Amino acid sequence: MKPVIPTTRRLRSTPPAPISPFPYHPGSLLSVLDLTVGGVSQLLIRATELENEDPILRDHILAKRRIALLFYESSTRTRTSFGLACKALGADTTLVSSLSSSIEKGESLKDTGLTLRALGAEAIILRHNSSGAAWLLEESTRLPVINAGDGMHEHPTQALLDLRTILTHLRPGIAGVAPGTLAGVTVMITGDILHSRVARSNMLLLPRVGARVLLCGPKELLPEQAARSGPGIEIERDFDAALAQSRAVMMLRIQAERLAGLQLDLDEYKANYQLTGQRLAARAPNAVVLHPGPIIRGMEITAGVADGVQSAILEQVTNGLAIRMAVMERALAADTGVPADRSSSVGGQNGGRT
Ligand code: CP
């Protein structure tokens, strides 16, 4: 007997035809490479429109649409902002977390996704500790899946909100982006780049809008091959030299949960790579300081810098809400067909995800 795939409340047609090695939904956002530069620009512009929209009118955009947040890892910023973004558009949301669900009893990601779909979920926002989990969930459910961070791989909405924050500071008044929008701008990313999905998504996105990405950190957390991740990416091991070249300084925490036995001398790390007020004033007095959070004050960044006038850390959080509204509207607008921002990329590098 053929397996029966349960229909969703709103699925009015069969899932879209496969355009990559497995069927994937045009509303999904698994990687920043799912978006053309034009697609990124549309999301940035729409984020601003939605932010400025009358809340009463905005509440109708996804009225009563059902969205599941499926979180296998802890989160404050991403989970809360996705939840609030969905609610701001009028959607009904439910949160399933690995610690209070049948995942604890051993239920698989696939079965959890199919269960949510059978309950009427029309899109799933997934955070998972395994790289690639979002692809598996999409393949299993054929729903739009939004990658809210998969292991050490990608965190696409974080890169979009980081881009919005950088634009606000370095290109004020510019709503969208084109391939040269950040030409001449060096964005430095310092810290645990090896384990960072935030670094990876930014490395895949920022050079496409013209930025130079300068990676900084010790060899244990920043292997040489990172410079070969793509065009526009370089390594500078000397923190002060990197700072002096940068207009945006993105600090990352050391991800203790992913070090897997790697021993680091934390005093040496702080001496070499901690962003202090003194260093910032001496080398990058006009740079904007970013951090995706959570911040470990006194480790990668001092409290004075985190709370200082150059810090845009809380702006990043606020920008997450606007970006995630635009991403969720896109997710549920595309029940069928391939939107324009993807059709030209089919068959390109990265399995069509250019
Ligand atoms: N930036 C980020 O992903 O933060 P959370 O882990 O708190 O969601």
Side-chain angles (χ1 to χ4, degrees):
M1 210 169 77
K2 277 177 72 175
V4 177
I5 298 175
T7 55
T8 60
R9 201 165 49 91
R10 299 258 182 165
L11 203 60
R12 300 182 199 93
S13 54
T14 52
I19 58 170
S20 75
F22 57 84
Y24 76 101
H25 195 288
S28 286
L29 183 58
L30 306 181
S31 161
V32 288
L33 296 175
D34 286 343
L35 299 165
T36 61
V37 172
V40 171
S41 195
Q42 281 171 23
L43 281 175
L44 290 168
I45 292 166
R46 190 59 185 147
T48 301
E49 289 172 355
L50 288 168
E51 193 174 54
N52 296 327
E53 181 62 278
D54 179 337
I56 307 285
L57 298 177
R58 202 169 57 193
D59 193 47
H60 293 281
I61 292 173
L62 295 181
K64 306 311 283 179
R65 306 294 297 264
R66 291 183 185 166
I67 299 171
L69 291 97
L70 177 53
F71 275 64
Y72 285 74
E73 261 188 9
S74 50
S75 164
T76 300
R77 281 148 285 269
T78 311
R79 195 174 85 182
T80 310
S81 60
F82 264 119
L84 291 174
C86 293
K87 286 192 171 79
L89 301 180
D92 289 339
T93 62
T94 188
L95 170 67
V96 177
S97 97
S98 54
L99 286 182
S100 56
S101 67
S102 290
I103 297 166
E104 267 193 318
K105 302 173 193 163
E107 189 157 48
S108 69
L109 175 62
K110 174 176 175 168
D111 288 323
T112 303
L114 290 174
T115 300
L116 292 173
R117 178 181 164 134
L119 288 167
E122 298 170 74
I124 301 177
I125 298 160
L126 176 70
R127 169 164 289 192
H128 203 284
N129 47 346
S130 295
S131 304
W135 278 258
L136 177 67
L137 183 66
E138 200 204 60
E139 188 181 18
S140 306
T141 63
R142 303 193 180 189
L143 290 175
V145 171
I146 309 303
N147 183 358
D150 64 322
M152 299 186 286
H153 184 232
E154 274 221 53
H155 194 348
T157 56
Q158 179 71 44
L160 290 169
L161 73 88
D162 290 341
L163 175 58
R164 188 174 201 243
T165 310
I166 291 168
L167 288 172
T168 305
H169 284 262
L170 303 186
R171 296 288 184 266
I174 292 184
V177 284
T181 300
L182 288 180
V185 169
T186 295
V187 179
M188 165 188 183
I189 308 179
T190 301
D192 188 358
I193 288 157
L194 178 65
H195 301 109
S196 175
R197 54 199 176 206
V198 174
R200 203 166 324 280
S201 286
N202 272 295
M203 287 156 64
L204 293 172
L205 178 62
L206 292 172
R208 294 166 68 213
V209 292
R212 170 181 178 238
V213 173
L214 198 53
L215 305 175
C216 186
K219 280 200 163 60
E220 299 94 312
L221 301 178
L222 173 57
E224 280 299 323
Q225 57 262 40
R228 297 193 290 275
S229 305
I233 301 170
E234 296 169 41
I235 289 177
E236 169 57 71
R237 302 267 176 207
D238 184 315
F239 187 53
D240 289 317
L243 261 182
Q245 300 173 53
S246 303
R247 290 298 315 281
V249 177
M250 187 182 297
M251 302 304 295
L252 303 174
R253 78 182 168 96
I254 295 172
Q255 300 194 34
E257 70 275 27
R258 302 193 212 277
L259 288 185
L262 181 68
Q263 298 294 325
L264 276 179
D265 181 334
L266 294 181
D267 287 332
E268 190 183 330
Y269 183 83
K270 282 197 280 187
N272 289 330
Y273 300 105
Q274 186 185 65
L275 186 60
T276 64
Q278 201 177 24
R279 273 184 159 141
L280 195 60
R283 306 287 174 172
N286 298 314
V288 56
V289 174
L290 307 167
H291 194 310
I295 299 169
I296 310 299
R297 290 171 182 251
M299 176 53 67
E300 70 275 7
I301 190 168
T302 61
V305 173
D307 299 331
V309 291
Q310 288 177 247
S311 171
I313 296 171
L314 293 178
E315 280 174 53
Q316 288 173 270
V317 177
T318 305
N319 283 333
L321 191 52
I323 287 292
R324 287 167 179 140
M325 281 193 282
V327 165
M328 293 319 298
E329 182 188 46
R330 172 185 176 274
L332 288 175
D335 271 353
T336 56
V338 181
D341 72 89
R342 273 194 176 172
S343 55
S344 60
S345 69
V346 176
Q349 61 182 5
N350 305 304
R353 294 173 184 274
T354 53

